[in-house]
Amino acid sequence: MNKQKMKQQMHAILVLQKRMSQTRFWGVGIFLVMSISFIIASVLLINQLNYTQTNTILLEKEIMLIPLIINAILIALYLSFSSMVQIAREYEQGTYELLLYGPMDEKTFLLGYFISQIKIFLICLLATILWTLICIRQLNLALQPELFLIFLLSLLMTTQLISFGILFASISRNTRTSVIYFSLTMLFLAGIALADTIISRLVTITVSTANDPLLIVRDVLATINSVIQWVSPFSLMVNAINAALDQVWSIFTFNSVLILIEIILLLSISIWTIRRKGVRAA
Amino acid sequence: MIETKNLTKKFGNFTAVENLSLSIDHGESYGFLGPNGSGKTTTILMLLGVLKPTSGEVKIEGQSVQTDSFNLKKKIGVVAEYQKYYDEMTAWEYIQFFADLYEVADKEAKANLLFDRLGLEKWKNVLIKGYSTGMQKKLGFARALIHSPQLLILDEPVSGLDPFSITQVRELLLDVKSKGCALLISSHILSEIEKLVDRVGIIYKGNLIAQDTMQGLRHMVGQRNYLQLSFKTINQAQIQNFADLSFVKKIETKSNQLKLFIDQDTEEYRAEIGQLILKNDLVVLELEKKEPNLEETFITITENNFKQIADQVSSTGEKNE
């Protein structure tokens, strides 16, 4: 690819991402989601502190971990949803076709959206870092360097979720369909992980015989979960965070690289899909 | 400016466009006509580099659209039949966004000029979703012209516009044409095409079946100018006297009206017609020289082509039997 074309592609990406970022910050959605996620994170943090004070047991090695993960997941879900809906709407209202009449191609179109969402998340991340520092100072907690790895991993997870959203929009090219499929997929990923955890705990408490049907359910769920773990952005992030907290750097690096590979793969499939489908429905 | 060579597009077994070759020069306007489903939009999408041809190529300024699409697309402006816009934007923001995309220098001055020419200056800060169909169409023209394109592709450019807006748009188009911009106009409103184009290409079932100036097309299908005479009364014998004139190639009658088809309208011929009127003691109510319009030419060409295809099919069927 020649230098001039790359420069022009970069220009198109920047123009599109600027418009998308402006649109996002003019709306109330992102501010509402950020407010809700900070309220939930604050409540979780206070509950954990109260529990620790009352029982003198530390539930997590890093007390900020769960509030920060929940905060990141909420913002990431919102951004992936909104990028998916906006891309699907571009197809529906024909503006995608209009953009392609000009100096833009399928790749720059998707990357423009992708980068705008990352940019918004980085701004949200700055707010999260500020909130974390305030909490640490006010509650007199220790500032652990692993916290910055959690921030980095939340960025990777968000990027992966946004790539999922872009893929769903590119395949369905319809707002309603993409929202339904994306929601079902996310519920499936989260549901399997949750069910696996619950059933595993139930089995250890209630099962008395080796032929108990609960054991079969646990084994099935564990098998599905072990497969999903390689794909689910939530699982990959949690695995990498746990590895970082335990300072097992090989697992941390492995999961982080896996997330990056999946991001590239998801974006490549999205670009290939919209190129193959063309500008109009056949 | 733009040239296509043997452009072909196939969707599976269906051939949408076949071996289409056309060229348009700077400052030339080209009417691209064809019935619904004839391959006009497919051709336009290939010209824009949005749709990849199965074979053949599109060149703009001698360069292939497929290899240098970003640079070449900046030279093209498009007004689509249906306007596409962002709900949440005002007209001004919309135009500025596209000006940024096309890297337009002095974008605000250019946008103001276009809003002024199209009568949209009062509404430039209004959300586009509040615009009427005609206003949205005019905004489409502003968007297509903001980067001063060298080729303007117009799909049904005047549909949805009131007569005053049509005049505004026509003047704007003639103005950009005079500055060297090539126009490719696809429309079903043939009377409007006739006012704007220098040459016409007719596409039918994916094939470019005719391509010439208006006069050339008329000549091609054997359409002639005619004199239309309306009499107070006229009988069959008197009609026959007109039909016997050596320069009259064809005659059509409708009650007391005659259409005399001639190759040329000369004083000599008119004198002969005048003598015949006097000799037959006829009272002339109206005499008018007429030439076939684009609509008649278009219908004749596409009908002739349809008959040819039908003949081919039936002869093939007979052979098979």
Side-chain angles (χ1 to χ4, degrees):
Chain A
M1 192 191 298
N2 62 44
K3 248 183 181 177
Q4 200 193 4
K5 191 174 179 185
M6 266 181 77
K7 200 178 151 196
Q8 286 173 331
Q9 283 183 327
M10 195 54 73
H11 173 79
I13 289 170
L14 290 176
V15 172
L16 190 62
Q17 72 81 23
K18 185 180 155 196
R19 190 188 80 76
M20 294 318 304
S21 311
Q22 281 173 348
T23 310
R24 181 67 58 246
F25 282 112
W26 283 334
V28 291
I30 187 68
F31 299 106
L32 200 67
V33 170
M34 276 175 74
S35 306
I36 291 169
S37 66
F38 281 129
I39 290 168
I40 293 173
S42 302
V43 170
L44 283 170
L45 183 62
I46 291 164
N47 280 349
Q48 283 204 74
L49 284 170
N50 287 340
Y51 185 88
T52 308
Q53 258 183 339
T54 315
N55 301 292
T56 58
I57 298 170
L58 196 61
L59 281 175
E60 297 286 344
K61 196 174 172 185
E62 170 53 65
I63 203 157
M64 297 295 288
L65 178 66
I66 292 177
L68 285 178
I69 289 179
I70 299 292
N71 174 281
I73 287 177
L74 283 174
I75 296 173
L77 277 174
Y78 170 74
L79 289 177
S80 52
F81 250 103
S82 63
S83 58
M84 182 183 64
V85 168
Q86 278 178 315
I87 291 173
R89 280 192 63 208
E90 291 262 15
Y91 289 124
E92 284 175 340
Q93 63 195 11
T95 42
Y96 166 65
E97 184 178 329
L98 190 65
L99 288 172
L100 256 57
Y101 289 166
M104 188 169 284
D105 59 13
E106 298 87 348
K107 188 164 72 183
T108 50
F109 171 75
L110 288 185
L111 289 179
Y113 267 95
F114 178 72
I115 288 171
S116 74
Q117 303 299 313
I118 306 285
K119 184 177 151 186
I120 295 161
F121 183 75
L122 285 174
I123 295 168
C124 297
L125 193 60
L126 276 178
T128 309
I129 292 171
L130 194 68
W131 173 82
T132 310
L133 293 175
I134 291 169
C135 289
I136 286 171
R137 191 182 164 83
Q138 292 298 313
L139 300 169
N140 203 21
L141 299 169
L143 177 64
Q144 300 206 41
E146 284 84 0
L147 270 181
F148 293 96
L149 289 176
I150 296 173
F151 294 137
L152 175 71
L153 287 168
S154 65
L155 173 66
L156 286 178
M157 179 213 47
T158 307
T159 311
Q160 197 186 356
L161 265 179
I162 291 167
S163 311
F164 261 110
I166 289 175
L167 178 67
F168 277 84
S170 305
I171 292 171
S172 74
R173 317 216 302 179
N174 174 285
T175 311
R176 194 196 290 174
T177 317
S178 53
V179 165
I180 291 169
Y181 289 145
F182 185 78
S183 308
L184 288 175
T185 308
M186 291 302 132
L187 282 173
F188 176 74
L189 292 177
I192 290 287
L194 191 69
D196 184 34
T197 313
I198 294 169
I199 299 288
S200 298
R201 284 181 186 174
L202 270 179
V203 165
T204 52
I205 296 163
T206 60
V207 172
S208 54
T209 62
N211 296 326
D212 199 302
L214 214 54
L215 272 176
I216 302 165
V217 176
R218 185 197 66 174
D219 291 344
V220 170
L221 282 173
T223 312
I224 297 172
N225 203 22
S226 64
V227 176
I228 284 172
Q229 272 188 3
W230 300 104
V231 186
S232 167
F234 313 117
S235 301
L236 288 172
M237 181 185 68
V238 170
N239 290 346
I241 286 174
N242 286 332
L245 291 174
D246 296 337
Q247 301 196 331
V248 187
W249 301 116
S250 56
I251 296 178
F252 169 80
T253 312
F254 176 74
N255 279 282
S256 305
V257 170
L258 205 60
I259 295 175
L260 282 172
I261 290 171
E262 284 187 20
I263 291 166
I264 295 167
L265 206 64
L266 289 168
L267 286 176
S268 304
I269 297 170
S270 306
I271 293 166
W272 177 80
T273 307
I274 56 164
R275 274 194 185 144
R276 200 177 62 86
K277 290 200 168 188
V279 291
R280 291 181 183 183
Chain B
M1 169 68 220
I2 189 163
E3 188 183 10
T4 72
K5 266 187 191 166
N6 300 323
L7 205 60
T8 301
K9 182 69 193 175
K10 290 183 180 180
F11 297 102
N13 290 329
F14 174 70
T15 305
V17 176
E18 195 171 11
N19 289 325
L20 190 138
S21 298
L22 60 85
S23 67
I24 310 168
D25 286 331
H26 284 284
E28 187 187 19
S29 56
Y30 187 92
F32 194 47
L33 313 180
N36 293 332
S38 56
K40 294 193 298 289
T41 307
T42 306
T43 306
I44 288 174
L45 291 178
M46 286 194 283
L47 296 183
L48 290 165
V50 171
L51 202 62
K52 202 177 169 187
T54 309
S55 63
E57 61 176 348
V58 179
K59 282 186 174 178
I60 295 177
E61 304 280 23
Q63 285 181 296
S64 171
V65 172
Q66 293 299 326
T67 55
D68 196 9
S69 63
F70 270 67
N71 256 335
L72 297 177
K73 277 175 172 185
K74 281 188 179 173
K75 296 179 180 176
I76 307 175
V78 183
V79 179
E81 182 177 5
Y82 301 106
Q83 296 313 298
K84 290 128 188 178
Y85 58 87
Y86 296 100
D87 282 352
E88 73 283 359
M89 277 187 174
T90 64
W92 181 258
E93 288 162 354
Y94 180 74
I95 295 299
Q96 294 302 307
F97 166 61
F98 279 97
D100 282 339
L101 196 61
Y102 283 91
E103 296 180 79
V104 177
D106 205 11
K107 57 180 184 175
E108 294 191 356
K110 276 188 178 169
N112 274 323
L113 187 73
L114 284 166
F115 277 117
D116 188 45
R117 290 270 330 239
L118 291 160
L120 293 173
E121 70 279 8
K122 283 182 193 167
W123 293 277
K124 67 181 182 185
N125 292 318
V126 173
L127 288 175
I128 308 170
K129 65 180 173 186
Y131 270 34
S132 67
T133 312
M135 285 163 80
Q136 284 173 10
K137 189 94 189 185
K138 287 203 270 186
L139 186 64
F141 276 96
R143 179 190 41 72
L145 291 168
I146 188 71
H147 58 292
S148 310
Q150 290 174 32
L151 169 68
L152 191 59
I153 297 178
L154 308 152
D155 194 3
E156 296 295 346
V158 295
S159 71
L161 293 177
D162 60 61
F164 178 71
S165 300
I166 289 176
T167 312
Q168 257 180 342
V169 164
R170 192 192 305 138
E171 281 171 6
L172 183 64
L173 290 178
L174 291 172
D175 194 23
V176 295
K177 182 178 175 261
S178 71
K179 287 172 185 162
C181 178
L183 308 179
L184 176 86
I185 309 171
S186 166
S187 177
H188 289 116
I189 305 173
L190 302 184
S191 57
E192 197 51 45
I193 286 244
E194 214 168 355
K195 288 174 192 161
L196 283 167
V197 302
D198 301 318
R199 277 195 305 141
V200 175
I202 297 176
I203 185 169
Y204 187 72
K205 295 195 173 180
N207 294 286
L208 195 67
I209 56 172
Q211 183 179 219
D212 210 331
T213 57
M214 279 297 299
Q215 207 177 350
L217 282 182
R218 280 185 205 121
H219 184 74
M220 192 184 100
V221 294
Q223 282 182 324
R224 296 180 173 90
N225 295 339
Y226 59 88
L227 290 172
Q228 186 170 290
L229 296 114
S230 297
F231 300 103
K232 198 172 178 183
T233 52
I234 188 165
N235 60 37
Q236 204 53 47
Q238 289 166 326
I239 290 171
Q240 192 53 49
N241 287 337
F242 282 100
D244 290 341
L245 288 169
S246 60
F247 55 87
V248 172
K249 304 293 177 193
K250 194 177 132 190
I251 192 162
E252 278 180 15
T253 57
K254 190 180 171 186
S255 63
N256 290 326
Q257 199 181 63
L258 280 190
K259 275 185 187 176
L260 306 178
F261 291 87
I262 52 176
D263 282 333
Q264 280 180 310
D265 179 27
T266 63
E267 277 186 24
E268 192 187 328
Y269 293 166
R270 286 208 179 203
E272 274 193 57
I273 292 168
Q275 280 172 4
L276 201 61
I277 291 167
L278 288 171
K279 193 177 155 189
N280 288 282
D281 227 5
L282 291 164
V283 179
V284 180
L285 300 178
E286 196 183 2
L287 190 153
E288 202 178 352
K289 182 193 165 188
K290 291 203 168 183
E291 54 184 27
N293 57 28
L294 181 57
E295 197 171 328
E296 288 167 321
T297 313
F298 174 74
I299 289 168
T300 311
I301 289 174
T302 48
E303 269 184 353
N304 283 346
N305 208 270
F306 176 75
K307 279 173 193 161
Q308 275 177 18
I309 292 166
D311 289 346
Q312 278 172 9
V313 170
S314 61
S315 64
T316 316
E318 281 164 16
K319 277 176 196 170
N320 289 342
E321 280 167 16

